[in-house]
Amino acid sequence: MNKVMLIGNVGKEPVVHYYDADQAVAQVSFATTEKGYTLANGMQVPDHTDWHNLVFFRGLAKVVEKYVHKGDRLYVEGRIRYRLYDDKQGKRHNITEIYVDNMEMLTSRSGASAPTSAPASSSTPSPAETTENKDLPF
Amino acid sequence: MNKVMLIGNVGKEPVVHYYDADQAVAQVSFATTEKGYTLANGMQVPDHTDWHNLVFFRGLAKVVEKYVHKGDRLYVEGRIRYRLYDDKQGKRHNITEIYVDNMEMLTSRSGASAPTSAPASSSTPSPAETTENKDLPF
Amino acid sequence: MNKVMLIGNVGKEPVVHYYDADQAVAQVSFATTEKGYTLANGMQVPDHTDWHNLVFFRGLAKVVEKYVHKGDRLYVEGRIRYRLYDDKQGKRHNITEIYVDNMEMLTSRSGASAPTSAPASSSTPSPAETTENKDLPF
Amino acid sequence: MNKVMLIGNVGKEPVVHYYDADQAVAQVSFATTEKGYTLANGMQVPDHTDWHNLVFFRGLAKVVEKYVHKGDRLYVEGRIRYRLYDDKQGKRHNITEIYVDNMEMLTSRSGASAPTSAPASSSTPSPAETTENKDLPF
DNA sequence: TTTT
DNA sequence: TTTT
């Protein structure tokens, strides 16, 4: 088991690459913040923010491209991956990424205009705010 | 592994029992709500609320007694337990409970007056809004 | 959030219903066991087993029908649902179910003969032991 | 929320530092392995192992020092932390660590002799294989 | 009713 | 019985 669950906010506009029509990859810089607290001795521990490198593949990458924007609050589930890469100068770098398997948008955008091409009809079914498995409404 | 994670709201004031000075047990009726959504065919699936029976023991029960109130939003982690009990009429019942191992209060109560008896001193360290393991602030 | 994660064993053969060609539902009786331990005072707390009612829908129900059997070890993720139903005698009952959104088979069945009709060819791609989201092997 | 759950194996003997009698920190190199699988097109995706830097504080660090060894299988829960540090040559490095809040030992060591110095008494209550919250055995 |  |  290698499982990560995060609730946080998107730091800037997602970056999406298409390797072919089907193979989309989206990268999202994502902040989680741990609230500060006061120690028994009165010392104040400040808030702490971590910046995660989220990576979305295939269908999720397309959902990100369509609906996710800077500032949005998300719940994501995935796995930690550690990777080496060489930059243009041939320097080797470590990078830690979260491969996202599941996402839920927590920013409600009820009367939201769609990002790129606005839907003409107002009867359009609401934008998919959830990409989790949805099952029979028993 | 038998793990439950919930974010939701307290439905009524917690009920706390002391078996002796140390053995406190708190019971909390707790609602989680799954947002409705629109199916591909246009059908609307409404919001769905589940009511959980949370059970807190020992130190956590005391934190609940002190700080948790009707309407509060909580994050809880625990385990599912199924139990049989006989009511006063001798009738047997099934009950499902969530034994809580970890709790975090999500309702900020910054300028909160303490629940029953307000603390005299204003220099009191802030009420514990978190009961998770807190470690060295590296 | 209403999230459940279980690792345990299937107690008897799954029961599968088809409402139509697509709408399959599988029910699985599922045991999780919490290891006993010794208290500080030397008292022994025995092992404790909980029996969960798992419910699988659609594609997952079909995977269950094909591959899951009595005794198998599974990892499942899902949500808790509380439901009322009336039995044939018109008596009302509470039932707690785990709606499964994600499953992973932990019982390796490497040289396994397929459950009902064994595949003739040995070059058959291995049976799906995982039904989680699988992404690009970056 | 910044939550990590891992099941895997300890790669080498833990390294423990004491800053003072109470402030212990343990570091553990920890491997999680994702099973390979066969793609629809017959291509084989091999097993994939990730090496995590686990960090344990205070009481957990002492449990690690006493009971955790190379090869042991563990379940850990914690948070991801990204940190910069300068090495002895003054070079800046990124490091990703998992701050562990909760641990469970999955390697059973029933008749285990204690690691370094064996306890004198054989009536010693069994070694703590679990450091999770344990509650009233209702 | 299961399993380690 | 709660809340967003």
Side-chain angles (χ1 to χ4, degrees):
Chain A
M1 172 181 275
N2 171 350
K3 194 167 192 70
V4 177
M5 304 159 86
L6 307 173
I7 295 176
N9 294 88
V10 173
K12 35 186 163 171
E13 283 300 313
V15 174
V16 184
H17 284 290
Y18 276 84
Y19 293 98
D20 63 55
D22 268 350
Q23 299 295 33
V25 174
Q27 292 170 290
V28 170
S29 186
F30 192 71
T32 58
T33 299
E34 190 176 306
K35 282 278 292 289
Y37 51 97
T38 308
L39 293 170
N41 62 16
M43 247 190 79
Q44 186 63 29
V45 177
D47 287 6
H48 176 91
T49 296
D50 283 283
W51 286 96
H52 309 265
N53 300 122
L54 306 186
V55 185
F56 301 76
F57 300 97
R58 300 189 300 185
L60 277 182
K62 293 180 184 179
V63 171
V64 166
E65 185 178 37
K66 263 199 182 157
Y67 298 113
V68 173
H69 295 284
K70 179 176 173 171
D72 282 357
R73 191 162 186 81
L74 304 180
Y75 168 73
V76 299
E77 259 179 58
R79 315 158 250 155
I80 311 177
R81 281 295 176 102
Y82 308 98
R83 201 161 57 83
L84 283 169
Y85 72 95
D86 299 305
D87 64 20
K88 292 154 194 169
Q89 286 75 39
K91 217 180 132 216
R92 180 145 292 192
H93 295 274
N94 289 301
I95 186 169
T96 300
E97 295 171 314
I98 309 298
Y99 283 19
V100 177
D101 293 315
N102 219 330
M103 168 183 81
E104 191 163 348
M105 300 188 66
L106 304 179
T107 303
S108 57
R109 212 185 301 286
S110 43
S113 54
T116 345
S117 56
S121 156
S122 69
S123 70
T124 311
S126 76
E129 292 202 351
T130 300
T131 66
E132 292 187 316
N133 262 352
K134 284 303 179 196
D135 295 310
L136 298 180
F138 255 47
Chain B
M1 171 182 275
N2 172 349
K3 193 167 192 72
V4 177
M5 304 160 87
L6 307 172
I7 294 176
N9 295 87
V10 173
K12 34 184 161 171
E13 283 299 313
V15 173
V16 184
H17 283 290
Y18 276 83
Y19 293 98
D20 63 56
D22 268 351
Q23 299 295 33
V25 175
Q27 292 169 290
V28 169
S29 187
F30 191 72
T32 57
T33 299
E34 190 176 306
K35 282 280 292 287
Y37 51 97
T38 307
L39 292 170
N41 61 17
M43 245 191 81
Q44 186 64 29
V45 177
D47 287 5
H48 176 90
T49 296
D50 284 283
W51 286 96
H52 310 265
N53 300 122
L54 305 187
V55 185
F56 301 76
F57 299 97
R58 299 190 300 183
L60 277 183
K62 293 180 183 180
V63 170
V64 167
E65 186 177 37
K66 265 198 180 158
Y67 299 112
V68 173
H69 295 285
K70 179 174 173 172
D72 283 357
R73 192 162 186 80
L74 303 180
Y75 169 73
V76 299
E77 258 179 58
R79 314 159 250 156
I80 310 177
R81 281 295 175 102
Y82 307 98
R83 199 160 59 82
L84 284 170
Y85 72 94
D86 300 306
D87 66 19
K88 291 154 193 168
Q89 286 76 41
K91 216 180 135 218
R92 180 145 293 193
H93 294 275
N94 289 302
I95 185 169
T96 299
E97 295 170 314
I98 309 299
Y99 283 19
V100 177
D101 293 315
N102 219 329
M103 168 182 80
E104 191 162 349
M105 300 187 66
L106 303 180
T107 303
S108 58
R109 214 186 297 290
S110 44
S113 51
T116 345
S117 55
S121 157
S122 68
S123 69
T124 310
S126 78
E129 290 202 351
T130 300
T131 66
E132 292 187 315
N133 263 353
K134 285 300 177 195
D135 295 310
L136 298 181
F138 255 49
Chain C
M1 172 182 274
N2 172 351
K3 193 168 194 69
V4 177
M5 304 159 86
L6 307 173
I7 294 176
N9 295 86
V10 173
K12 35 184 161 171
E13 282 301 312
V15 174
V16 184
H17 283 290
Y18 277 83
Y19 292 97
D20 63 56
D22 269 350
Q23 300 296 32
V25 174
Q27 292 170 290
V28 170
S29 187
F30 192 71
T32 57
T33 299
E34 190 176 307
K35 280 282 290 288
Y37 51 96
T38 307
L39 293 171
N41 62 17
M43 246 189 82
Q44 186 63 29
V45 177
D47 286 5
H48 176 90
T49 295
D50 284 283
W51 285 97
H52 309 264
N53 301 121
L54 305 187
V55 185
F56 302 75
F57 299 96
R58 301 189 298 183
L60 278 182
K62 294 180 183 179
V63 172
V64 167
E65 186 179 37
K66 265 197 180 158
Y67 298 112
V68 173
H69 295 284
K70 177 175 173 172
D72 282 357
R73 192 162 186 81
L74 303 180
Y75 168 72
V76 299
E77 259 179 57
R79 316 158 249 156
I80 310 177
R81 281 295 176 103
Y82 308 99
R83 198 162 58 83
L84 283 170
Y85 72 94
D86 300 305
D87 65 19
K88 292 154 192 166
Q89 286 75 40
K91 217 181 133 215
R92 180 146 294 192
H93 294 274
N94 290 302
I95 186 169
T96 300
E97 295 170 314
I98 310 297
Y99 282 19
V100 177
D101 292 316
N102 217 330
M103 168 182 83
E104 192 163 348
M105 300 189 66
L106 304 180
T107 303
S108 57
R109 214 185 300 286
S110 44
S113 52
T116 345
S117 56
S121 158
S122 68
S123 70
T124 311
S126 77
E129 291 201 352
T130 301
T131 66
E132 293 187 315
N133 262 354
K134 286 300 177 195
D135 295 310
L136 297 181
F138 255 46
Chain D
M1 171 182 274
N2 172 349
K3 194 167 192 72
V4 177
M5 304 160 86
L6 307 173
I7 294 177
N9 294 89
V10 173
K12 36 184 161 171
E13 284 299 314
V15 174
V16 184
H17 284 290
Y18 276 83
Y19 293 97
D20 63 55
D22 268 351
Q23 299 296 32
V25 174
Q27 292 170 290
V28 170
S29 186
F30 191 72
T32 58
T33 298
E34 191 176 306
K35 282 279 292 287
Y37 50 97
T38 308
L39 293 171
N41 62 17
M43 246 190 80
Q44 186 64 29
V45 177
D47 288 5
H48 177 90
T49 296
D50 284 283
W51 286 95
H52 310 265
N53 300 121
L54 305 186
V55 185
F56 301 77
F57 299 97
R58 300 189 299 186
L60 277 182
K62 294 181 184 179
V63 171
V64 168
E65 187 178 36
K66 265 198 180 158
Y67 299 114
V68 173
H69 295 285
K70 180 175 171 170
D72 283 357
R73 191 163 185 80
L74 303 180
Y75 168 73
V76 299
E77 257 178 60
R79 313 158 250 156
I80 311 178
R81 282 295 175 103
Y82 308 98
R83 200 161 58 82
L84 283 170
Y85 72 95
D86 299 306
D87 65 19
K88 291 154 193 167
Q89 286 75 41
K91 216 181 133 217
R92 179 146 293 192
H93 293 275
N94 289 303
I95 186 169
T96 300
E97 295 171 314
I98 310 298
Y99 283 19
V100 176
D101 293 316
N102 219 330
M103 169 182 82
E104 191 162 350
M105 299 188 67
L106 303 179
T107 303
S108 58
R109 212 185 300 288
S110 45
S113 51
T116 344
S117 56
S121 159
S122 70
S123 70
T124 311
S126 78
E129 290 202 352
T130 302
T131 66
E132 292 188 316
N133 262 353
K134 284 303 177 193
D135 294 311
L136 297 180
F138 255 47

